[in-house]
Amino acid sequence: MTRAIGLPRARPEIAALPVYSRAAGAATVRWRASSNEATIAPPPAVVEAIARAGEHGHLYPTLSADNLVAALAERLSVPPHAVLSGAGSLALLQQALTAYTGPGTEVVHAWRSYEAYPILIGIAGATAVPVPLDTQHRHDVDAMIAALTPRTRAVLVCNPNNPTGTELTETEVRRLLDGVPSHVLVILDEAYHEFAEEQVDGVKLLREYPNVVVLRTFSKAYGLAGLRVGYAIADPAVAAPLHAAAPPFGLSSVAEAAACAALADSAHTGRVLESVRWSRVHLRAGLSASGIETPASGGNFVWIPVGAGTTRLAAACVAHGVSVRAFSGEGVRVTVGERDAENAVLAAVDHVIAHRPEG
């Protein structure tokens, strides 16, 4: 019997997906300011919890990270069945899109925003509807409401926004929620919630707006990016399909133990937050002194909107020993928290300005 020539073909939508960017020089530079990682290592209690859990690595974790879910439910004053855990908030976003969208539906989101959004929307088979940010690099609430159609099944809101760091006020979030029909899911991505200045609390809002799902993560303020721990909070009726779409044993026992220990160590988290706040001030002040104005940031990063100069600035940063995340033709995102890295970025900015082509 002759074997057929050729290989299996993926869905055409997969081939058309955008590619998640890679930061130039991230593997060779002295400082990595390109991925919004915490610049302070986990505290001893977290490291010890990881080691203890590793001793039992031959055993499966609990089905749904029961210990972490219970701790989060108590912290947030919600019932346990309103909380889901997963391997990073991206895994939970994928579950939400899988459960509530699909072919023939649309997902409205701001743009520029988190670059994974159009990828995950495409994987779900839905159509992304990007809405440009306003002139202040913020979500344009009125334009997002105007983009809703009968095919809209979800609205994605990144607050604070990645990569611009800009925030919506509670009044603006409420205006958006009031403008979205109750049958449309609103996903509030609060990955940078702990760093925010406005302190909009999506968990409190979902008590009034049961069509809301809140996503949060242990990757940023808790410094567990390498362990991949995220969580979602939703009205139990909305959460039920998310539970159904969740893979069993979705969070390793090592990751769960680390997250429980990190959640309990508020002093360490406080040190991380304080470092970020002072570092944002330092970097933005230095950029302003060089003639570059930046939007106020509610994340652990600063957005440098240099437009056509993006590629040159990113290359200069690598040459000065620090990687940053560049979005061609738009700007550069710089993670803060490491003073030497921030100074390297400022030196790169001065280099670019000094060698700017005339005319």
Side-chain angles (χ1 to χ4, degrees):
M1 182 175 181
T2 303
R3 184 176 180 180
I5 298 175
L7 294 172
R9 294 184 180 181
R11 291 161 38 212
E13 296 89 347
I14 301 302
L17 293 175
V19 177
Y20 197 92
S21 67
R22 292 176 179 267
T28 60
V29 295
R30 181 177 179 184
W31 304 286
R32 191 162 74 175
S34 50
S35 297
N36 294 347
E37 297 151 321
T39 57
I40 302 175
V46 171
V47 176
E48 291 166 8
I50 291 171
R52 286 195 302 271
E55 294 175 357
H56 304 284
H58 59 296
L59 303 176
Y60 278 108
T62 59
L63 192 65
S64 302
D66 300 343
N67 293 334
L68 178 59
V69 165
L72 287 168
E74 181 177 1
R75 172 72 62 91
L76 300 170
S77 299
V78 298
H81 53 287
V83 182
L84 298 94
S85 66
S89 56
L90 274 186
L92 294 158
L93 173 56
Q94 188 69 78
Q95 287 171 221
L97 293 172
T98 299
Y100 283 95
T101 73
T105 69
E106 295 176 345
V107 180
V108 173
H109 63 91
W111 196 253
R112 167 132 340 237
S113 193
Y114 186 32
E115 61 181 314
Y117 291 164
I119 299 173
L120 298 190
I121 292 168
I123 291 172
T127 299
V129 181
V131 178
L133 299 175
D134 65 18
T135 57
Q136 302 301 311
H137 311 285
R138 304 173 74 250
H139 284 59
D140 188 331
V141 170
D142 293 331
M144 292 182 74
I145 294 173
L148 301 173
T149 74
R151 296 173 62 188
T152 305
R153 291 296 177 271
V155 176
L156 259 170
V157 182
C158 188
N159 191 45
N161 188 46
N162 175 16
T164 63
T166 50
E167 299 181 64
L168 292 174
T169 65
E170 182 173 325
T171 298
E172 290 169 323
V173 174
R174 286 181 177 275
R175 182 154 56 87
L176 177 61
L177 295 175
D178 287 336
V180 175
S182 60
H183 70 273
V184 173
L185 190 72
V186 179
I187 303 171
L188 296 182
D189 185 347
E190 295 186 343
Y192 299 94
H193 169 75
E194 291 85 358
F195 305 107
E197 296 295 328
E198 289 292 340
Q199 288 299 307
V200 176
D201 190 340
V203 177
K204 292 181 180 178
L205 288 172
L206 72 82
R207 292 167 183 145
E208 299 178 47
Y209 300 91
N211 59 326
V212 165
V213 172
V214 178
L215 301 180
R216 291 183 183 170
T217 182
F218 281 85
S219 295
K220 311 302 180 182
Y222 294 99
L224 300 182
L227 291 173
R228 312 303 302 128
V229 187
Y231 60 101
I233 312 97
D235 180 273
V238 172
L242 303 184
H243 284 290
F249 312 112
L251 192 65
S252 77
S253 54
V254 172
E256 180 182 12
C260 288
L263 191 66
D265 194 341
S266 58
H268 177 79
T269 306
R271 288 191 292 272
V272 172
L273 301 185
E274 187 69 10
S275 171
V276 165
R277 292 190 184 105
W278 282 110
S279 295
R280 289 189 307 213
V281 171
H282 168 254
L283 182 56
R284 294 188 67 221
L287 291 166
S288 181
S290 295
I292 299 178
E293 297 304 322
T294 57
S297 175
N300 63 340
F301 56 89
V302 169
W303 173 246
I304 309 178
V306 288
T310 295
T311 301
R312 290 182 64 229
L313 178 55
C317 287
V318 171
H320 283 76
V322 58
S323 67
V324 295
R325 186 74 64 170
F327 299 92
S328 181
E330 298 178 65
V332 169
R333 189 194 69 197
V334 181
T335 308
V336 300
E338 173 62 63
R339 186 55 51 89
D340 288 341
E342 294 151 20
N343 288 337
V345 170
L346 294 174
V349 168
D350 289 341
H351 176 84
V352 168
I353 292 173
H355 294 83
R356 181 181 295 162
E358 296 185 3

